[in-house]
Amino acid sequence: DQQVKQNSPSLSVQEGRISILNCDYTNSMFDYFLWYKKYPAEGPTFLISISSIKDKNEDGRFTVFLNKSAKHLSLHIVPSQPGDSAVYFCAASAHLRNTGNQFYFGTGTSLTVIP
Amino acid sequence: DTGVSQNPRHKITKRGQNVTFRCDPISEHNRLYWYRQTLGQGPEFLTYFQNEAQLEKSRLLSDRFSAERPKGSFSTLEIQRTEQGDSAMYLCASSSRQGAWVAKNIQYFGAGTRLSVL
């Protein structure tokens, strides 16, 4: 049962334009959401997170938006750069359950930024 | 390098053999996690330690899998009688119980051990 879904396996964007990566979840108990970036032969690297008490969090070129009613979050990268080309994973946890913050990951979206 | 370290990076074994992987977390992190990732999927949670105590195990962790963290520092994941379906990337992550709420809730991942069962 996939509780976190990334329905777009891949995305191609021109350098300088906006990249929008989407993620949907089904478990209403999730209260903390993260985006990880993964390069080949490396482990996932933390990118940005958002708590369910917020609907937006921004860090430089990266902004995450959370729509709790739709159980949807998105990652915006602007402007996109070739170095952003990687696989992006959305992850969610139910922190308030105090189970050690098990993360549930989506299947990933492979972003290619074309120079 | 003070990140999460995993060894070996690659392991090729024959079906039925036992394998053991090691994870060294970031030194001040008391929480340690094991995940498994297969092709085209995201990481799937296997088990979690707080210090030396194993507090949570996924149903994915069959009886052939065992994980330990004897002194609350490094951890090992052993798979007995490997099967071809065990072929995957095994990822270790750690996090800290200290600090601000955001910092406590970030898991830092190692590069993983890729297991191939022939």
Side-chain angles (χ1 to χ4, degrees), chain A residues 9-37:
Chain A
S10 63
L11 175 68
S12 292
V13 173
Q14 288 287 336
E15 181 179 3
R17 305 294 289 270
I18 185 171
S19 295
I20 300 176
L21 294 90
N22 293 303
C23 177
D24 298 289
Y25 62 96
T26 58
N27 190 340
S28 58
M29 296 294 290
F30 288 150
D31 55 11
Y32 186 59
F33 305 89
L34 308 91
W35 285 93
Y36 279 82
K37 177 178 176 180

Side-chain angles (χ1 to χ4, degrees), chain B residues 86-105:
Chain B
D86 297 331
S87 296
M89 175 73 81
Y90 290 85
L91 293 163
C92 176
S94 68
S95 68
S96 172
R97 199 180 179 189
Q98 309 297 325
W101 191 90
V102 171
K104 285 191 292 187
N105 289 287

Side-chain angles (χ1 to χ4, degrees), chain A residues 11-21 61-62 75-85 88 111-115:
Chain A
L11 175 68
S12 292
V13 173
Q14 288 287 336
E15 181 179 3
R17 305 294 289 270
I18 185 171
S19 295
I20 300 176
L21 294 90
R61 297 185 297 113
F62 304 91
L75 174 68
H76 292 210
I77 307 172
V78 55
S80 301
Q81 299 174 353
D84 296 329
S85 297
Y88 289 79
L111 173 66
T112 301
V113 180
I114 304 166

Side-chain angles (χ1 to χ4, degrees), chain B residues 70-89:
Chain B
K71 297 183 179 178
S73 56
F74 73 91
S75 175
T76 58
L77 177 68
E78 182 183 15
I79 308 174
Q80 296 182 326
R81 305 181 303 282
T82 53
E83 301 173 355
Q84 288 184 326
D86 297 331
S87 296
M89 175 73 81

Side-chain angles (χ1 to χ4, degrees), chain B residues 51-62:
Chain B
N51 299 313
E52 65 276 8
Q54 188 173 19
L55 298 185
E56 192 169 351
K57 292 196 292 186
S58 163
R59 63 179 185 276
L60 293 175
L61 212 66
S62 76

Side-chain angles (χ1 to χ4, degrees), chain B residues 17-75:
Chain B
Q17 298 294 305
N18 299 344
V19 294
T20 300
F21 311 139
R22 177 178 171 124
C23 171
D24 288 273
I26 294 171
S27 59
E28 63 268 25
H29 287 184
N30 64 335
R31 294 176 169 177
L32 187 146
Y33 311 78
W34 285 99
Y35 289 82
R36 181 175 71 184
Q37 184 179 13
T38 53
L39 194 62
Q41 300 296 316
E44 295 175 291
F45 172 79
L46 292 178
T47 190
Y48 154 67
F49 290 85
Q50 183 165 300
N51 299 313
E52 65 276 8
Q54 188 173 19
L55 298 185
E56 192 169 351
K57 292 196 292 186
S58 163
R59 63 179 185 276
L60 293 175
L61 212 66
S62 76
D63 291 345
R64 297 184 296 105
F65 288 69
S66 62
E68 294 182 344
R69 195 182 182 198
K71 297 183 179 178
S73 56
F74 73 91
S75 175

